[in-house]
Amino acid sequence: MRVVAIASGKGGSGKTTATVNLAAALAERGGRVLVIDTDPQASASRWLGAEGAASPLAALFEAEAERVDLAAAVMPTTAAGVDLVPSSPALGRVARNAPPDTVTALRAAVRQLPHGRWTYVLIDTPPGLDLLTLSAMMAASFALVPADASAVTLDALAPTLATIARVAESGDGLALAGLLVGRLDARQAFARDVLELLRDRRGDDVFTTTISETVRLREAAAMRQPVTAYDPKGKAAADFRAAAAELEGRTDGS
């Protein structure tokens, strides 16, 4: 079971888009995928058809919390082969006042998940580098960082990558799976230049696959479907299938 935190300190970088569509594309490749939504905005939960569902996650971050059985809270989704632990706004309220030692609570709960039930666990995170994002990184074996092809991306990546490095140095077994560039309009010279500069700076850390800018992704979210189901023969679906294959290669052996 490979656990991947999908995180970025920059809002609007495409974390939820990557989480939902990679989950569906990975499920197409065999096995089941579990999405854990730790963003209090619950965007991944809504996209996967679980709007308003009860979430157990807030209880993880309460001062006297008992162990939370995540497996008991798993629910099916609108995406074939994808299960979900949903989020809710209550998670944000609790996390803001959570004791510092609860930062490891999600890790403990993830380690109690039944092995062999899911091939991948993808953890969607809120924008920023707060307790919830740090908890997700500490629960994961890999971190995937979505990035868009904009000028601010280059500077905005630094805090996220530094945080990943600190968690890795703490001995929690976190490794960088890579940077996945999305919302790429390859017709624009500026976007191509940013991608080239990012690859110059980060080398093999940057996925070979990129995710094209397309209205189909927004339509898929509105229809509560991954793009691989909503527009299975489209460019975005092909991009995410290629990214899923590359992610498998980058996390092989775990």
Side-chain angles (χ1 to χ4, degrees), residues 102-198:
T102 59
V103 73
T104 61
L106 181 60
R107 179 178 64 188
V110 167
R111 288 179 177 177
Q112 293 300 313
L113 289 171
H115 287 267
R117 185 169 172 184
W118 297 284
T119 53
Y120 274 89
V121 176
L122 303 186
I123 307 177
D124 193 22
T125 61
L129 299 171
D130 59 5
L131 175 74
L132 294 173
T133 299
L134 188 58
S135 296
M137 289 182 181
M138 295 182 71
S141 299
F142 296 94
L144 184 150
V145 182
D148 59 14
S150 66
V152 296
T153 293
L154 298 172
D155 292 331
L157 283 172
T160 302
L161 296 172
T163 302
I164 292 169
R166 286 196 299 271
V167 174
E169 290 169 1
S170 72
D172 284 309
L174 183 68
L176 178 64
L179 286 70
L180 178 62
V181 176
R183 301 177 62 185
L184 178 68
D185 187 347
R187 298 169 300 178
Q188 296 184 357
F190 177 76
R192 297 195 302 271
D193 290 345
V194 171
L195 177 60
E196 182 178 354
L197 182 57
L198 186 58

Side-chain angles (χ1 to χ4, degrees), residues 15 59 90 138 143 178 181 212 223:
K15 291 182 294 295
M138 295 182 71
V181 176
S212 302
M223 297 301 294

